Amino acid sequence: MAVELAQEAIRNKVKDFILSNEKVLDEVVNMIVQHERSLEVDFNEVLIYDKELADLLVERPRQVLQIADAAVREVVEEKDPETARRLRRFYFRVKGSPYSIPLRKLRSEYVGRLIKVEGIVTRQTPPKHFLHRALYRCTQCGYELELVQELERHVEPPSRCPRCGASRSFTLVAELSQYIDWQKLVVQERPEELPPGQLPRSVEVVVLDDLVDSVKPGDIVSMTGILDLALSELKKGRPPVLSSFLSAVHLESTNKELVEDITREDEKKIIEISRRPDVRDLVVRSIAPSIYGHEEVKEAVACLLFGGNEIVYPDGVRVRGDIHVLIVGDPGTAKSQLLKFTAKVAPRAVYTTGKGSSAAGLTAAVVRDRLTGDFYLEAGALVLADKGVAIIDEIDKMDIKDRVAIHEAMEQQTVSISKAGIVATLNARAAVLAAANPAFGRYLPNRTVAENIDLPVSLLSRFDLIFVVKDEPQEDYDKAVATHIVDLHTGALPESFKDIMRPDLLRKYIIYARRHVKPQLSEEAKDRIRQFYLEMRRHYQGPGSAIAITARQLEALIRLTIAEAKMRLSPIATGEDAERAVRLYLAFLKSVGIDLESGVVDIDSIMTGVPASRREAYIKLTETLKKMEEVYKGPVRLDALLEEAEKAGVPRAEAQRLVDLMIRNGELYTPRPGYVKRIGA
């Protein structure tokens, strides 16, 4: 521990440090020009200048920073007296500390020391006013006394007047006292740093003055501050156990995607890999190599991880760049395994399951502070995954009312909330990777995708790619899977593990691509996408025909083409990239968009849940029900409806199937057993 220096010596050292360091002096000039109160200084620069001062700053930060603040004011006063007079308060804000502590490791040995912590902001109180300098006046003789108040201590006026000796005669003069803006944040461990099976730890952070409102819920922050104890909890009759909070000295919001540093060596390795002619195949091979096969699904996941480009049209309309993928599969087809791997390699990922999530937990909750009674927002999974990937396993098991919360987040990429007087819109620019089990336990090939997946059509249509993973016995494939799994369990390295990128390198490769590469479509790529779109539309012209592709899928194709180019770290998306995107898109259409009765690719079977061949029957059934409701003046008996539909030319089994589908899509409901009624009729 450095020898304690006199206050004057510390002030002179700080002043000398500011005046002798050109970079810090430029910051002072910048402060004066922009009328700012804070001088930001890197701790390492203080350490290089004077180790003794740096040691004191870490061990006794409260004392040293108070003197350093006064030194900053003196320097500003010498440079520009007018700014010093107008702003009054100045701060010496130190960035960084030799004690960089994970939130999980905050212990009593760090109390009163300068430490650095990182985490994600989950809550934020509205700004309040902290009584910094309280002015008291004696009611008997008019004697005035100014006291500096401390955080987390009770405000107590002096008990006796030093002039006239009157006891309890002091009152607070509110208009002459000085106040500072105050705000409390709750900062939690980042989801990717959380040990398995543990609840995330959090710390309360108190920010003052110009740090107020500098970050918002969902931001990843790096904070330097003093670990303090909440002394207001010491009360008579209660055990002397105190909770800690961080009094922030410096606060910085780090870019949400780029939480990992990429060294020069990494960069060299990444650029070297990107020059390989088979780089895209290498990336696809590196995704979950422990899972055999499923190349198309893995390529879709790779596209999701790299993402497209977010575009703002000239009229201000924002089009998302994130790619959403849904995997529907029979049990035991390694869906969850693939999701877990994605959570590991994504630059930022939040993993949740359908059954364990509520609407508030996915979007945002309005929480009440137990001490003040104030309402404030707490960010949910989609907000925490902003600029990353939100992974939802078993999305079909979610409650219907909770599932609606995802709609807005997927297309508009925001979360709007209006509760308890709080009306807010939060960013949720996350790619969604979801997995679902078929509605009937196994995927039934004789049913449409909308019937097989127990999800509303409005949600299905928001996914760019939907893949059906069927578990069908095939001798050669089964043999290969068995060999692969047995090899893995016996410690032998299967073929799929040869020539792949390690997960940590793959993660850095993805971060580098998302950070530095924003590909533009070449003329060749534009022509290929346009040609494919028009070709698919032309196939299905004519009244009542199926629709194979819509403008929404055209945007998805562009996103996929750009993601394919990003995998090569190429600034230009070529015709080959577009070709791969088209191939991937056709695999998705063949997987789910085939009208089973006519064998025609039909996007409507996903978009509306009703394929073209069945639309005629659907219209007849709806009209029959409408007429019967008018006759019955209320709910219609199901048996009677099926009989009437049969007379109108709709087979009974088909009519029953359509009724079930309409009930699931929320068009019909059963007011009592055996009866149906249209919603809103």
Side-chain angles (χ1 to χ4, degrees), residues 571-673:
I572 303 290
T574 62
E576 193 197 342
D577 294 318
E579 198 57 61
R580 281 184 81 114
V582 164
R583 190 172 50 74
L584 199 59
Y585 193 75
L586 279 171
F588 146 61
L589 279 181
K590 285 200 180 81
S591 163
V592 295
I594 287 184
D595 180 349
L596 299 155
E597 284 163 40
S598 61
V600 176
V601 172
D602 179 11
I603 200 72
D604 271 16
S605 62
I606 304 159
M607 294 295 137
T608 62
V610 182
S613 61
R614 209 182 284 170
R615 203 166 300 130
E616 202 58 48
Y618 175 79
I619 292 164
K620 281 180 186 169
L621 183 75
T622 312
E623 282 174 358
T624 306
L625 180 58
K626 203 172 172 183
K627 282 177 193 161
M628 289 178 79
E629 275 182 350
E630 283 167 15
V631 174
Y632 280 84
K633 301 273 188 294
V636 174
R637 208 172 79 245
L638 183 58
D639 288 348
L641 173 66
L642 297 177
E643 267 172 43
E644 286 298 315
E646 210 164 2
K647 285 176 193 168
V650 181
R652 195 180 177 95
E654 180 66 17
Q656 178 68 59
R657 193 188 289 181
L658 281 169
V659 166
D660 292 344
L661 182 67
M662 287 162 82
I663 290 170
R664 208 162 60 241
N665 284 350
E667 295 169 57
L668 299 182
Y669 71 104
T670 48
R672 56 183 186 271

Side-chain angles (χ1 to χ4, degrees), residues 91-302:
Y91 301 100
F92 185 81
R93 297 209 180 278
V94 182
K95 175 187 176 183
S97 162
Y99 293 124
S100 187
I101 319 291
L103 278 176
R104 198 160 276 279
K105 300 273 169 61
L106 282 181
R107 300 287 183 266
S108 49
E109 65 191 276
Y110 302 113
V111 171
R113 288 180 172 180
L114 190 75
I115 62 167
K116 183 187 170 191
V117 292
E118 281 189 0
I120 190 163
V121 180
T122 55
R123 296 185 196 170
Q124 180 186 46
T125 66
K128 295 196 177 175
H129 315 292
F130 164 59
L131 179 63
H132 172 52
R133 287 178 179 273
L135 187 84
Y136 294 103
R137 187 181 287 152
C138 177
T139 51
Q140 305 297 318
C141 65
Y143 179 74
E144 289 183 351
L145 186 68
E146 192 177 63
L147 292 178
V148 177
Q149 300 292 337
E150 285 184 46
L151 278 169
E152 292 294 327
R153 280 189 188 269
H154 295 295
V155 175
E156 282 182 26
S159 54
R160 189 175 290 275
C161 174
R163 188 199 279 173
C164 66
S167 62
R168 297 196 180 175
S169 61
F170 277 109
T171 58
L172 181 71
V173 185
E175 63 276 14
L176 294 177
S177 296
Q178 287 180 31
Y179 304 91
I180 292 179
D181 290 331
W182 173 99
Q183 191 175 41
K184 191 181 274 184
L185 313 171
V186 174
V187 174
Q188 190 177 289
E189 284 177 292
R190 291 212 306 265
E192 58 266 33
E193 288 176 351
L194 195 62
Q198 296 281 330
L199 281 173
R201 301 265 170 92
S202 58
V203 66
E204 288 188 340
V205 181
V206 170
V207 294
L208 297 174
D209 216 341
D210 54 346
L211 293 183
V212 166
D213 273 347
S214 58
V215 293
K216 61 184 187 302
D219 283 0
I220 289 179
V221 290
S222 173
M223 302 166 296
T224 306
I226 305 162
L227 192 65
D228 269 339
L229 296 173
L231 295 172
S232 56
E233 291 178 11
L234 277 179
K235 287 184 183 151
K236 208 173 177 184
R238 281 184 62 178
V241 178
L242 303 173
S243 55
S244 59
F245 69 95
L246 193 75
S247 184
V249 171
H250 183 271
L251 197 62
E252 181 179 45
S253 175
T254 59
N255 191 325
K256 293 179 179 182
E257 281 180 83
L258 324 172
V259 291
E260 209 164 310
D261 282 331
I262 293 172
T263 61
R264 281 271 169 87
E265 208 177 292
D266 291 333
E267 197 171 335
K268 221 156 114 188
K269 215 181 280 179
I270 286 164
I271 289 163
E272 203 178 297
I273 289 168
S274 71
R275 292 196 178 121
R276 283 179 56 161
D278 66 336
V279 61
R280 281 175 302 205
D281 296 329
L282 173 68
V283 169
V284 174
R285 275 203 305 276
S286 305
I287 286 174
S290 58
I291 298 167
Y292 184 83
H294 303 321
E295 276 76 20
E296 282 159 352
V297 180
K298 287 181 184 179
E299 189 166 351
V301 169

Side-chain angles (χ1 to χ4, degrees), residues 549-594:
I549 194 167
T550 68
R552 198 177 231 174
Q553 281 71 48
L554 182 62
E555 282 184 347
L557 266 175
I558 294 166
R559 280 193 284 270
L560 290 168
T561 305
I562 286 166
E564 292 278 2
K566 266 193 197 180
M567 277 188 230
R568 297 184 293 116
L569 302 188
S570 165
I572 303 290
T574 62
E576 193 197 342
D577 294 318
E579 198 57 61
R580 281 184 81 114
V582 164
R583 190 172 50 74
L584 199 59
Y585 193 75
L586 279 171
F588 146 61
L589 279 181
K590 285 200 180 81
S591 163
V592 295
I594 287 184

Side-chain angles (χ1 to χ4, degrees), residues 292 472-484:
Y292 184 83
E472 293 171 329
Q474 290 168 0
E475 199 171 332
D476 294 347
Y477 180 77
D478 293 345
K479 194 176 174 183
V481 171
T483 308
H484 180 84

